Structure formats: C-alpha cells, structure tokens
C-alpha cells in the first residue's frame, strides 16, 4: 500500500474550491486518465479510467463530506484505494487543497509505475490542472453549477439556490 500526499494553493475562495472539487463529473477535465465519473445512489461514484492502455470501472463511496473542509472516499471494488481531500483557507482569496491517497496498485504495470513514483507525479499534475481549471472559472463554481454541499451523509441547506 502506498500513500501519496500532494497540495496546491488555488487563488479562489475556499467555497469555490470545495464546490468545484465536489462536482465529481468534471474530473475528466483536469484528471489524467479519468474518462467518466457518474453519481449513483447513496454517495457512490462510478469511475471509468484508462491508464497505460488499461480501462477499469469501479465504484467508490463518499465516506465523509464536510462543506468547505474535507471529502473522503473509499473504493468498493477494483484497485483498493481510499483518500481525503482537505481545504484550508489561507486568506479571503486563496485556498490550500491537499490530497492524501492510499492505494494498493494492481497488476505489473501499476506496481512498476508506483515504484517509480508515477502515481505521485500524476496526482501532482492533476492538482496543477485543477488549479488552472478552478482559477479559470473563478467564483462561478458555486452551487448553481451543480455542486452538492453535504455535511456527513446529509444534504445541507444551500442559501444560493
């Protein structure tokens, strides 16, 4: 099992960073190898990835979600992985986004890539692309664009709707 931790500072308010991150369907726009994410019932997300020519589909469940603070998940099938993304307000317009990922790679190619740091580089690149993506959208990433603001497993009232 490998643990990867990467951070990036984004020049948007914490709410904009959190709201954009929780629009999981947009991940293919900034995450390399992610082809599609669909929301299923009960906080479950269906992922389709294509990495090194290998296509995988798997489900992951949101295990913890606190608006403007953190989102955690755990895979239900496929490669064993879990993680948490935290959001820390640095000032009114800057947020630190930190991803901590634990993964047990499957197959020869994934294990070799993990040994040579490919997964860590991928996470770092995904965060750089997220920075470009969210900063390009600015404060427009609020709930009106489809982000869901949840606390724990329940939907919280959203004054923006």
């Amino acid at each position: 099992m490998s643990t990867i931790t990467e951070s990036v500072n984004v020049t948007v308010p914490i709410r904009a960073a959190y709201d954009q991150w929780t629009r999981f369907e947009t991940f293919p726009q900034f995450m390399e190898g992610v082809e599609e994410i669909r929301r299923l019932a009960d906080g479950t997300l269906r992922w389709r990835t294509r990495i090194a020519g290998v296509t995988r589909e798997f489900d992951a469940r949101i295990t913890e979600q606190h608006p403007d603070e953190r989102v955690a998940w755990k895979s239900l099938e496929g490669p064993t992985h879990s993680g948490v993304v935290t959001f820390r307000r640095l000032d009114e317009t800057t947020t630190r986004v930190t991803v901590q990922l634990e993964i047990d790679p499957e197959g020869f190619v994934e294990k070799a890539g993990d040994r040579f740091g490919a997964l860590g580089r991928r996470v770092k690149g995904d965060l750089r692309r997220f920075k470009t993506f969210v900063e390009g959208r600015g404060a427009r990433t609020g709930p009106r664009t489809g982000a869901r603001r949840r606390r724990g497993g329940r939907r919280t009232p959203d004054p923006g709707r």
Side-chain angles (χ1 to χ4, degrees):
M1 179 91 48
S2 295
T3 300
I4 296 159
T5 303
E6 293 290 343
S7 296
V8 68
N9 293 344
V10 296
T11 309
V12 297
I14 194 167
R15 182 173 182 152
Y18 174 87
D19 285 351
Q20 184 60 63
W21 189 273
T22 56
R23 293 188 67 222
F24 305 108
E25 296 87 350
T26 66
F27 281 13
Q29 296 179 54
F30 59 86
M31 283 191 176
E32 185 180 343
V34 176
E35 291 187 338
E36 180 183 33
I37 297 180
R38 288 178 290 142
R39 286 182 196 267
L40 305 177
D42 301 329
T44 301
L45 303 170
R46 176 60 130 174
W47 290 65
R48 187 175 70 231
T49 62
R50 184 169 179 81
I51 300 171
V54 177
T55 299
R56 295 190 192 271
E57 287 198 31
F58 60 91
D59 291 341
R61 176 160 293 130
I62 303 297
T63 58
E64 184 180 359
Q65 190 166 357
H66 300 282
D68 303 337
E69 293 175 21
R70 64 190 287 127
V71 178
W73 72 93
K74 181 178 173 94
S75 65
L76 300 177
E77 59 190 13
T80 302
H81 71 277
S82 60
V84 62
V85 180
T86 57
F87 303 85
R88 181 171 169 233
R89 179 185 177 277
L90 299 179
D91 61 37
E92 289 295 319
T93 61
T94 308
T95 304
R96 177 164 298 143
V97 179
T98 301
V99 174
Q100 184 175 7
L101 177 66
E102 291 188 4
I103 188 162
D104 191 10
E106 288 184 345
F108 176 76
V109 172
E110 291 173 358
K111 288 179 182 181
D114 182 46
R115 277 193 290 276
F116 291 108
L119 187 54
R121 286 189 301 277
R122 174 163 286 175
V123 171
K124 187 176 223 158
D126 289 345
L127 281 176
R128 279 193 314 265
R129 286 184 292 277
F130 175 73
K131 174 181 175 64
T132 300
F133 185 74
V134 73
E135 288 176 356
R137 296 179 62 88
R140 296 179 294 132
T141 60
R144 290 187 181 104
T145 62
R148 295 186 182 175
R149 299 184 63 75
R150 295 180 179 266
R151 178 156 294 280
R154 297 179 42 191
R155 188 176 178 103
T156 57
D158 188 347
R161 288 201 170 171

